[in-house]
């Protein structure tokens, strides 16, 4: 059976591309404090989301306040943890830890949204994550940091916490499926992250200059588009089907790094890319096949997979 790209899968593929663009902007703004970048992108997102919601005649604050605040809070905490890990760990370590998020998303979904992970999918997740490890091992050389120290281990734990909280956030998006407009869900992210970042800026501030403002604007645009398409994807598809597609964002990041930042890669990185593609492709094919079999059976029957 020919596998077709569903709307949810297309939305997630676009989201990973937009997130890669956001990461490139953040890399370009390395001289600005991370929470300051979050502050500016939150301002952009909250204004654009509010204006769009008003034009669509959708109540910006929605109705499911507990879930929406939960999504906004977990999303903001996950972002802060990720940026802290990026600033205090080797890039390869921080990114690898963040790629635990799709696995946490699928596993937490077993209990939070009652979406089981089928036994073969565990193997596909492991294959993709193994590919990520190989890519990071064969990627650009990164100078040593305090990763081996007690402080480094603390930031490693923060990175893992960020990936775990991301899984909670994505499950909250799934639970809001059909209950809230995607833009309402996106609106709550900056609604929570903006005051948190503003407080942090009181203690650490670097005034942007020149092209910094253009990069901040681009970061806001990429972030808004990425959040919206990701939200749509998690509302349209099973978590275990679209969450692993996050791994494909690594390819965009590697390509941008090669073109714009002259980052070279070794043979292990290309072997890792093949494993990631294989794991994601097998997961997509498998879930499509099993879902198609389930749809063809009478309601009382179940597919054993």
């Amino acid at each position: 059976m020919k596998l077709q790209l569903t709307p949810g899968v297309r939305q997630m593929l676009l989201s990973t591309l937009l997130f890669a663009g956001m990461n490139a902007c953040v890399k370009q703004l390395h001289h600005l404090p991370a929470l300051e970048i979050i502050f500016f992108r939150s301002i952009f997102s909250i204004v654009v989301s509010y204006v769009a919601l008003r034009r669509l005649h959708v109540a910006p604050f929605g109705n499911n306040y507990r879930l929406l605040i939960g999504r906004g809070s977990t999303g903001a905490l996950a972002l802060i943890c990720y940026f802290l890990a990026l600033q205090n760990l080797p890039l390869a370590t921080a990114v690898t830890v963040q790629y635990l998020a799709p696995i946490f998303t699928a596993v937490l979904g077993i209990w939070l949204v009652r979406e089981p992970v089928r036994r073969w999918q565990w193997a596909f997740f492991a294959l993709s994550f193994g590919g990520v490890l190989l890519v990071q091992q064969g990627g650009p050389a990164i100078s040593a940091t305090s990763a081996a120290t007690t402080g480094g281990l603390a930031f490693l734990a923060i990175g893992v916490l960020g990936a775990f909280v991301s899984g909670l956030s994505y499950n909250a998006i799934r639970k809001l499926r059909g209950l809230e407009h995607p833009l309402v869900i996106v609106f709550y992210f900056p609604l929570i992250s903006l005051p948190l970042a503003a407080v942090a800026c009181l203690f650490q501030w670097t005034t942007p200059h020149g092209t910094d403002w253009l990069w901040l604007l681009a970061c806001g645009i990429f972030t808004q588009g990425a959040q919206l398409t990701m939200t749509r994807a998690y509302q349209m598809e099973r978590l275990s089907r679209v969450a692993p597609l996050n791994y494909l964002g690594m390819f965009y990041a590697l390509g941008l790094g090669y073109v714009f930042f002259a980052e070279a890669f070794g043979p292990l990185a290309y072997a890792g890319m093949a494993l990631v593609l294989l794991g994601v492709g097998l997961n997509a094919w498998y879930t499509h096949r099993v879902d198609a079999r389930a749809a063809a059976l009478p309601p009382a029957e179940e597919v054993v997979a």
Side-chain angles (χ1 to χ4, degrees):
M1 181 178 293
K2 183 179 178 181
L3 177 61
Q4 297 181 345
L5 293 178
T6 64
V9 169
R10 288 196 295 267
Q11 290 290 315
M12 183 56 80
L13 291 175
L14 178 57
S15 174
T16 58
L17 175 61
L18 292 170
F19 271 124
M22 180 205 74
N23 289 335
C25 292
V26 172
K27 186 177 179 69
Q28 194 69 33
L29 293 165
H30 61 88
H31 53 284
L32 297 181
L35 281 166
E36 187 175 328
I37 299 173
I38 294 174
F39 173 74
F40 282 111
R41 66 175 245 178
S42 297
I43 291 176
F44 179 90
S45 181
I46 203 168
V47 171
V48 171
S49 298
Y50 183 81
V51 171
L53 286 167
R54 293 309 256 171
R55 288 185 175 181
L56 292 171
H57 303 291
V58 176
F61 296 98
N63 298 298
N64 299 272
Y65 303 118
R66 290 179 61 183
L67 273 176
L68 287 167
I69 292 173
R71 152 53 181 162
S73 301
T74 52
L77 178 58
L79 185 65
I80 292 171
C81 289
Y82 180 51
F83 272 67
L84 287 173
L86 281 174
Q87 286 189 323
N88 295 278
L89 294 174
L91 181 60
T93 304
V95 172
T96 299
V97 169
Q98 180 59 23
Y99 276 128
L100 290 171
I103 298 176
F104 280 132
T105 300
V107 174
L108 289 168
I110 297 173
W111 297 281
L112 297 179
V113 294
R114 300 295 189 268
E115 290 187 2
V117 177
R118 301 177 179 105
R119 59 177 178 263
W120 275 106
Q121 288 182 281
W122 294 109
F124 302 147
F125 291 167
L127 193 63
S128 291
F129 187 69
V132 171
L133 294 177
L134 282 180
V135 169
Q136 301 305 332
Q137 288 294 318
I142 299 173
S143 59
T145 66
S146 60
T149 67
T150 303
L153 292 175
F155 284 112
L156 183 64
I158 289 173
V160 174
L161 174 63
F164 177 80
V165 177
S166 291
L168 291 174
S169 182
Y170 299 152
N171 273 277
I173 293 174
R174 183 64 171 168
K175 287 182 73 71
L176 285 163
R177 177 183 58 171
L179 301 177
E180 299 289 354
H181 192 282
L183 264 176
V184 173
I185 301 172
V186 171
F187 179 68
Y188 267 80
F189 194 167
L191 198 64
I192 303 295
S193 63
L194 180 58
L196 295 177
V199 171
C201 287
L202 294 176
F203 300 94
Q204 187 180 24
W205 176 266
T206 301
T207 303
H209 295 285
T211 57
D212 288 347
W213 295 107
L214 292 177
W215 286 111
L216 286 168
L217 176 62
C219 182
I221 294 172
F222 279 126
T223 301
Q224 183 72 4
Q227 287 288 335
L228 182 57
T229 50
M230 180 195 68
T231 299
R232 288 172 175 167
Y234 280 124
Q235 289 191 318
M236 291 177 178
E237 298 283 352
R238 294 175 58 91
L239 292 173
S240 59
R241 185 173 194 176
V242 294
L245 295 176
N246 279 290
Y247 289 122
L248 297 179
M250 177 181 58
F251 293 91
Y252 301 134
L254 291 175
L256 289 170
Y258 178 79
V259 173
F260 295 105
F261 304 107
E263 296 175 346
F265 314 100
L268 281 178
Y270 295 109
M273 291 180 195
L275 284 180
V276 172
L277 279 177
L278 182 62
V280 170
L282 285 173
N283 182 71
W285 168 80
Y286 179 75
T287 53
H288 176 83
R289 181 176 69 88
V290 173
D291 289 346
R293 286 172 55 195
L297 290 175
E301 298 186 39
E302 294 182 357
V303 175
V304 178

